[in-house]
């Protein structure tokens, strides 16, 4: 866990903002103008605190999730739901719209964007309700779609995603972005409020049909995605990447791990198999560092998350194909949350599956219900860290003792 902690430390939101402030200050407000800070995502509070220190007198709105929403002097903090959008997030979206529409060309908007922001700022497209957005979000989370696919559809159903902030503000916008997505596609992070969309609404319709969710989406959502795209050109923004999963993996390498030859990506079972295939070649004391984000298809109503599933699935693979040495594997969400529960992930070893079964839990049956949390808890393999205040996707380590 020390190696993973090194990766989390490298994604410290305050340090990330401080690294980017020189570029922010290169274009200050004009005479009589002001800075308006709008911070969104799981790292929003920490990012806003650092920005307020660099921009004394600036105004700040912070939209973040429970656990990261402590009061911040000089800022208005609004709590929003994650991973499921809620009424608090809808109210925050209305406030973001109001602030952006109030800005004049002599003023400046500093957007501080981090992971989780897409669900936190639901601004349903014309004709849609919050309940419609919630229904679509639930379908997407259960579909096995990756984050880029999820956000393509989210963007087509939102007033604020996919460059929506740029359509509302007459003031120039500069964004400091902490990436939680593999590859650091700025269009995908928090659904890209300050960049162009991932694709068109027609692309979103085609994707929804491929995922098999089109016919189950609310009618209002299908109508919204069937409309033409907004033809207005987007205001240019300066988007600056200040932290990422790759930076955190590099920090894990600096702390003593070797960079793995494959990322955490794709179906969680396929990823577990690819990782365990590397185990036999580990040298004594060697650790491999991984970063990214897998996908899980929800087929049951259990409690768990992609990191917990990855850890439990890998432990099962190791039971069926053991190696002649001690090993450990940990996979956690860098934000301290993996799925809807309080766990951050899992830490498994050669005896984990036996412990789970001794406690009276069938790990295979648990996975068939997406119920990895109680299984790992039974095996003393659940990782609970609490909110870390940052989010750069998932980090994992496979180590030979």
């Amino acid at each position: 866990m020390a190696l993973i902690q090194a990766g989390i430390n490298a994604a410290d939101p305050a340090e990330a903002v401080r690294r980017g402030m020189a570029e922010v200050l290169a274009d200050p407000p004009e005479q009589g103008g002001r800075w308006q800070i709008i911070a969104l995502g799981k790292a929003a509070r920490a990012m806003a605190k650092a920005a307020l220190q660099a921009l004394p007198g600036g105004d700040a709105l912070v939209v973040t999730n429970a656990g990261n929403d402590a009061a911040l002097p000089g800022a208005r903090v609004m709590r929003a739901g994650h991973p499921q959008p809620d009424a608090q997030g809808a109210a925050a979206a209305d406030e973001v719209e109001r602030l952006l529409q109030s800005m004049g060309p002599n003023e400046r908007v500093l957007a501080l964007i981090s992971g989780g922001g897409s669900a936190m700022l639901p601004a349903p497209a014309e004709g849609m309700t919050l309940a419609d957005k919630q229904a679509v979000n639930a379908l997407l989370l259960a579909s096995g779609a990756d984050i880029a696919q999820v956000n393509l559809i989210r963007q087509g159903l939102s007033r604020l995603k996919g460059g929506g902030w740029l359509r509302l503000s007459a003031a120039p916008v500069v964004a400091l972005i902490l990436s939680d997505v593999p590859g650091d596609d700025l269009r995908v992070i928090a659904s890209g409020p300050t960049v162009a969309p991932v694709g068109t609404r027609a692309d979103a319709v085609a994707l929804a049909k491929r995922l098999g969710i089109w016919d189950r989406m609310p009618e209002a959502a299908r109508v919204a995605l069937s409309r033409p795209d907004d033809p207005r050109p987007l205001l240019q923004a300066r988007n600056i990447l200040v932290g990422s999963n790759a930076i955190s993996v590099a920090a894990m390498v600096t702390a003593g791990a070797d960079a793995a030859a494959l990322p955490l990506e794709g179906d969680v079972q396929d990823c577990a198999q690819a990782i365990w295939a590397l185990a036999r070649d580990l040298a004594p004391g060697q650790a491999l560092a991984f970063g990214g984000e897998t996908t899980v298809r929800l087929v049951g109503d259990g409690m768990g998350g992609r990191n917990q599933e990855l850890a439990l699935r890998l432990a099962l693979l190791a039971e069926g194909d053991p190696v002649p040495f001690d090993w450990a594997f940990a996979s956690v969400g860098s934000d301290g949350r993996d799925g809807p529960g309080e766990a951050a992930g899992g830490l498994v070893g050669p005896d984990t599956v036996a412990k789970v079964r001794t406690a009276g839990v069938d790990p295979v049956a648990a996975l068939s219900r997406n119920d990895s949390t109680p299984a790992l808890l039974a095996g003393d393999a659940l990782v609970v860290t609490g909110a870390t205040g940052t989010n750069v996707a998932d980090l994992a380590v496979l180590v030979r003792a």
Side-chain angles (χ1 to χ4, degrees), residues 119-142:
M120 292 179 203
L121 213 62
E126 180 184 351
M128 291 184 64
T129 65
L130 176 60
D132 293 329
K133 287 293 292 282
Q134 290 169 329
V136 172
N137 200 58
L139 288 170
L140 288 169
L141 292 178

Side-chain angles (χ1 to χ4, degrees), residues 46-304:
M47 295 180 81
K49 182 178 180 180
L52 284 168
Q53 291 170 348
L55 301 173
D59 296 322
L61 172 67
V62 175
V63 181
T64 192
N65 61 318
N68 293 315
D69 60 338
L72 177 63
R76 180 182 178 190
V77 180
M78 300 185 72
R79 179 187 294 183
H82 184 277
Q84 188 64 272
D86 64 7
Q88 290 177 304
D94 290 342
E95 182 62 12
V96 168
E97 281 192 286
R98 186 192 68 79
L99 285 175
L100 290 170
Q101 289 171 334
S102 73
M103 300 297 291
N106 64 325
E107 298 173 308
R108 298 293 183 269
V109 174
L110 172 57
L112 305 173
I113 307 298
S114 58
S118 189
M120 292 179 203
L121 213 62
E126 180 184 351
M128 291 184 64
T129 65
L130 176 60
D132 293 329
K133 287 293 292 282
Q134 290 169 329
V136 172
N137 200 58
L139 288 170
L140 288 169
L141 292 178
S143 70
D146 64 33
I147 189 62
Q149 293 173 320
V150 168
N151 285 353
L152 168 62
I153 293 175
R154 282 172 167 171
Q155 288 174 349
L157 299 174
S158 174
R159 305 188 307 272
L160 291 177
K161 297 172 174 49
W165 292 21
L166 306 181
R167 295 188 179 94
L168 294 169
S169 176
V173 176
V174 57
L176 300 182
I177 301 173
L178 193 65
S179 171
D180 67 329
V181 300
D184 304 326
D185 187 340
L186 302 186
R187 302 172 303 168
V188 177
I189 303 161
S191 288
T194 63
V195 295
V198 174
T200 65
R201 287 180 177 147
D203 294 333
V205 170
L207 173 60
K209 291 178 178 178
R210 288 200 305 274
L211 293 173
I213 65 173
W214 175 255
D215 292 332
R216 291 182 286 153
M217 291 170 62
E219 181 181 0
R222 296 197 300 269
V223 170
L225 287 180
S226 299
R227 294 191 191 107
D229 293 299
D230 190 330
R232 294 175 296 170
L234 293 176
L235 178 76
Q236 282 294 107
R238 289 185 294 145
N239 291 294
I240 304 163
L241 183 69
V242 292
S244 70
N245 187 264
I247 291 172
S248 287
V249 171
M252 294 164 68
V253 171
T254 299
D258 293 324
L262 58 90
L264 302 178
E265 68 177 12
D267 177 78
V268 66
Q269 177 68 16
D270 294 342
C271 188
Q273 291 173 336
I275 292 172
W276 188 243
L278 302 174
R280 290 191 180 277
D281 294 328
L282 287 173
Q286 184 182 14
L288 294 179
F290 304 82
E293 187 173 291
T294 61
T295 58
V296 173
R297 183 174 293 275
L298 297 183
V299 293
D301 58 358
M303 175 66 73

